[in-house]
């Protein structure tokens, strides 16, 4: 009985290790896209900062609402 338990112990250890690797492989998310970058576009301006003038040397004001 002890001989059977001692011979099954390494097999069960390998099975446990293998199942852990399979779970990690199946449970992982998809790999990131090749074109993905770690920076992103900022589409909405923050309300914390005042808007900056893109050309401060231009004396003529630009009106967005002007028709």
């Amino acid at each position: 009985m002890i001989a059977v338990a001692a011979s099954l112990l390494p097999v069960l250890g390998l099975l446990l290790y293998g199942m852990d690797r399979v779970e990690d492989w199946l449970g992982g998310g998809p790999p990131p896209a090749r074109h993905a970058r770690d920076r992103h576009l900022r589409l909405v301006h923050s309300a914390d900062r005042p808007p900056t003038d893109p050309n401060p040397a231009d004396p003529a004001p630009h009106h967005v609402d002007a028709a």
Side-chain angles (χ1 to χ4, degrees), residues 6 14 21 23 26 31 33 36 45 48 57 64-65:
L14 287 174
R21 299 294 292 178
E23 281 183 355
L26 289 176
H45 294 286
D48 299 337
V64 179
D65 298 331

Side-chain angles (χ1 to χ4, degrees), residues 39-47 49:
R39 60 188 179 112
H40 61 277
L41 295 175
R42 187 173 190 154
L43 300 177
V44 178
H45 294 286
S46 174
R49 294 186 292 167

